[in-house]
Amino acid sequence: MTNIPSVDLADFLSDDPKRKEKFISEIGAAYEDIGFVALKNHFLSDDLVEKLYAQVEKFFQLPKETKLGYEREDLGGQRGYVSFGKEHAKGKKEGDLKEFWHFGQEVAPDVTIEDDYPDNVIVKELPGFNATGMEAYRMLEKTGIYVLRALSLHIGMEEHYFDYWASNGNSILRPIHYPPITSEPDNAVRAGAHGDINLITLLMGASAPGLQVQNRAGEWIDAIAKEDELVINVGDMLQRHTNNKLRSTIHRVVNPPRDLWHTSRYSIPFFLHPRSDMKLDCLKECIDENNPKQYEDITAGEFLHQRLVEIGLIKK
């Protein structure tokens, strides 16, 4: 495989059972093989993407001192600004060449939930920043829930199994800025090879190439989606929950050629997390004599905390 497969959410939303089954089959096969797809006909409009990128670029262009005023280390980087080089890939000591922002879940007043989510940090210099970010958050969350519905059916479960856990889940929208590279990186890259923590990740088109995925042969291939597509991949939580049936594939963001070091790169992934009390125990539908249970039982909240320690956002 030299590129990630492309699927059309309109097939799943169709009233035609054959089209719906086609989507389930295609995305299921892709996630069992390489763990990545490019998805078109999602719920995120071109206008909203353009508006969000404009707000994100304005934020990262603010003075360093202003941005640092929005850093909340007491929250383990789960809300607000995270400064350059603070996060690193699991098992790697060099910090990634990036700075980023976190928007988190805002639960409706009429919803009862056990999780105690921290408030989002409000950027007072940019009146449209938070509203635009949360508008995109909702559209990505909606898209992700439909993808999870298809995967539920692929696994052999009831279609709406994930709805409760993913709705009002501990999801994160992360606008990332990879600044120009001004000196030899010394083994650091824009994002070291890693698997995502969450159930699935939805990534809108980045401002420049660089994302690469490792296929089954161990080869790095460029993950290229069209302008109207989202790149969506399986995270470690979903791989664990499906007992390795669905693959959380290692991926990275490589540094640009030296003649493009002077350029920035912007990227905005949405990490769809479940509610923290969701059990990630291996599903019985994914266990048999050829694939016995691979993981110990754990909740999503416990697993998230372990991984945030491993990548340097929470100190032991």
Side-chain angles (χ1 to χ4, degrees):
M1 181 177 290
T2 57
N3 196 16
I4 60 174
S6 180
V7 296
D8 188 345
L9 186 59
D11 288 335
F12 186 71
L13 301 176
S14 168
D15 292 330
D16 182 347
K18 290 183 178 179
R19 286 184 65 189
K20 186 170 183 177
E21 185 55 45
K22 174 177 178 285
F23 181 87
I24 295 167
S25 176
E26 288 176 347
I27 198 168
Y31 282 169
E32 288 189 26
D33 181 23
I34 197 165
F36 271 75
V37 297
L39 179 131
K40 58 186 174 183
N41 287 315
H42 47 80
F43 297 106
L44 198 66
S45 70
D46 292 342
D47 288 344
L48 181 53
V49 172
E50 188 175 333
K51 189 165 67 168
L52 179 58
Y53 267 107
Q55 289 291 320
V56 165
E57 288 189 32
K58 286 178 182 177
F59 173 78
F60 287 116
Q61 289 166 2
L62 291 172
K64 182 178 180 181
E65 296 73 21
T66 303
K67 291 185 289 187
L68 288 173
Y70 292 113
E71 190 155 31
R72 293 290 308 276
E73 294 192 16
D74 58 310
L75 299 178
Q78 291 306 288
R79 297 293 185 274
Y81 177 65
V82 178
S83 51
F84 183 82
K86 185 155 289 186
E87 184 181 77
H88 57 80
K90 177 182 175 182
K92 200 174 190 320
K93 64 180 187 296
E94 295 86 5
D96 290 342
L97 305 178
K98 67 189 181 192
E99 56 181 342
F100 53 91
W101 180 271
H102 274 161
F103 294 103
Q105 185 66 263
E106 294 180 355
V107 179
D110 60 340
V111 174
T112 301
I113 188 167
E114 292 185 19
D115 291 290
D116 185 18
Y117 298 133
D119 292 337
N120 276 310
V121 180
I122 306 299
V123 179
K124 60 181 184 295
E125 290 84 359
L126 299 172
F129 181 76
N130 288 82
T132 303
M134 289 311 297
E135 186 181 354
Y137 186 109
R138 292 294 167 224
M139 293 301 99
L140 289 161
E141 183 179 56
K142 181 179 180 180
T143 301
I145 287 172
Y146 276 99
V147 169
L148 289 172
R149 288 177 182 175
L151 295 177
S152 293
L153 292 170
H154 174 69
I155 293 165
M157 302 175 64
E158 193 276 322
E159 179 173 344
H160 300 275
Y161 165 73
F162 285 103
D163 283 22
Y164 171 81
W165 299 110
S167 300
N168 297 297
N170 193 19
S171 298
I172 291 288
L173 180 64
R174 174 189 279 191
I176 306 172
H177 175 222
Y178 303 94
I181 299 171
T182 56
S183 60
E184 193 65 44
D186 190 26
N187 203 35
V189 294
R190 284 185 157 173
H194 65 283
D196 291 340
I197 300 170
N198 40 288
L199 290 174
I200 56 174
T201 301
L202 298 88
L203 175 68
M204 60 189 76
S207 65
L211 178 63
Q212 294 185 334
V213 178
Q214 194 171 44
N215 65 17
R216 281 187 179 273
E219 303 162 332
W220 289 102
I221 64 172
D222 293 325
I224 300 172
K226 296 175 182 175
E227 285 190 10
D228 62 344
E229 293 178 328
L230 296 174
V231 172
I232 306 182
N233 63 279
V234 174
D236 291 349
M237 286 185 182
L238 189 56
Q239 174 174 278
R240 186 182 189 110
H241 200 35
T242 61
N243 200 34
N244 293 339
K245 179 178 179 67
L246 305 180
R247 297 189 64 223
S248 175
T249 302
I250 298 298
H251 53 285
R252 66 186 183 184
V253 179
V254 296
N255 297 334
R258 185 178 287 267
D259 61 345
L260 294 177
W261 276 12
H262 65 285
T263 60
S264 282
R265 182 182 190 270
Y266 295 92
S267 175
I268 310 179
F270 177 76
F271 302 110
L272 195 153
H273 283 261
R275 301 180 186 215
S276 298
D277 56 334
M278 179 182 182
K279 293 180 179 179
L280 297 180
D281 307 3
C282 298
L283 293 165
K284 61 179 175 53
E285 290 82 359
C286 301
I287 300 173
D288 57 36
E289 59 184 33
N290 295 319
N291 187 32
K293 184 178 177 181
Q294 303 290 317
Y295 300 102
E296 296 297 317
D297 296 346
I298 195 170
T299 67
E302 291 166 342
F303 184 70
L304 175 62
H305 185 270
Q306 286 180 9
R307 292 294 299 273
L308 291 178
V309 170
E310 289 170 346
I311 65 176
L313 289 182
I314 290 180
K315 305 302 179 187
K316 291 183 180 179

